[in-house]
Amino acid sequence: MNENKVKIVVADPSALGLFGLAIITLVASSQKLGLTSGVSLVIPWAIFLGASAQLFACINDFKHNNTFGATAFGAYAFFWYAVGLTWLIQNGLFGEKLALMADTRQLGFAYLGYLIFSIYMTIGAMETHKVLFTIFVLIDFLFIGLTLTSFGIMPEISHQLAAYSELLIAIVSFYGSAAAVLNTHFNKIFLPVGRPFNIFKG
């Protein structure tokens, strides 16, 4: 008995995932840098671009059998869902009592966990390309800054570290997204992303 097999081709979702990361880090960094105030209008971008766009990229990277990309996009998608919900709690959407009970040191432990995650993902990014590696290094610095700020360690310096790292993440992610789109669209290296380091894969 012959079985007809249909192959479903799924496009590379990294351009959309990186675009989502670029937008939310650009908007969020504006608040950290004091260019804007509050998080009320950051929340929608956290939910739809930081979280949902990266979750979409995660699901489609799993279809590509890309464990690294799917794990990265998925982990950061859920990070931004959690951040959005955290801001809603802090701003009293779920009641004043819950907001008053918030202990930002708990965020410090969450950020520390994400720092650990980002460090070993940075090692993996070394064998992808240099633009992605640069994004992960900047994410490492972002989580160092966020962790120290949440624990009250050198708050002014660590806040600035987080703010500028986040802005640089946005800039490099825009470039990475553009490269993913245009290199595929023109079927040539239109924007170079740099070769892997070839340290671990050789």
Side-chain angles (χ1 to χ4, degrees):
M1 178 177 169
N2 293 325
E3 293 183 3
N4 294 323
K5 294 183 179 180
V6 178
K7 183 179 180 180
I8 299 175
V9 178
V10 180
D12 181 6
S14 61
L16 178 62
L18 288 173
F19 174 72
L21 176 62
I23 287 292
I24 183 52
T25 49
L26 179 64
V27 177
S29 67
S30 74
Q31 189 267 344
K32 288 184 179 66
L33 290 168
L35 301 175
T36 62
S37 60
V39 295
S40 298
L41 295 182
V42 185
I43 293 171
W45 301 94
I47 293 172
F48 289 101
L49 275 298
S52 299
Q54 290 198 82
L55 183 59
F56 181 85
C58 157
I59 292 169
N60 283 283
D61 254 344
F62 273 123
K63 293 178 181 178
H64 275 275
N65 195 27
N66 182 356
T67 301
F68 180 85
T71 303
F73 283 130
Y76 294 127
F78 290 115
F79 170 81
W80 284 108
Y81 279 125
V83 167
L85 186 58
T86 296
W87 286 335
L88 291 174
I89 292 171
Q90 289 176 329
N91 284 276
L93 181 67
F94 300 102
E96 185 179 349
K97 183 177 180 181
L98 193 62
L100 291 173
M101 291 173 61
D103 185 346
T104 55
R105 292 174 299 177
Q106 292 172 342
L107 291 178
F109 284 103
Y111 295 144
L112 178 60
Y114 263 91
L115 173 60
I116 295 168
F117 170 77
S118 295
I119 288 172
Y120 66 75
M121 294 299 283
T122 302
I123 297 171
M126 293 177 72
E127 301 303 338
T128 306
H129 56 71
K130 289 185 174 66
V131 169
L132 191 62
F133 172 73
T134 302
I135 291 171
F136 273 98
V137 170
L138 292 169
I139 290 173
D140 294 337
F141 281 112
L142 170 62
F143 282 120
I144 290 171
L146 291 174
T147 301
L148 294 176
T149 301
S150 297
F151 286 128
I153 302 171
M154 299 183 297
E156 291 186 10
I157 295 174
S158 57
H159 179 81
Q160 290 298 309
L161 175 63
Y164 284 103
S165 296
E166 195 165 43
L167 177 61
L168 290 172
I169 290 167
I171 294 169
V172 182
S173 294
F174 274 123
Y175 181 88
S177 177
V181 171
L182 298 177
N183 292 351
T184 302
H185 185 64
F186 295 128
N187 196 27
K188 67 176 184 178
I189 299 176
F190 187 82
L191 292 174
V193 294
R195 298 187 179 212
F197 287 91
N198 291 323
I199 295 173
F200 303 106
K201 287 187 175 180

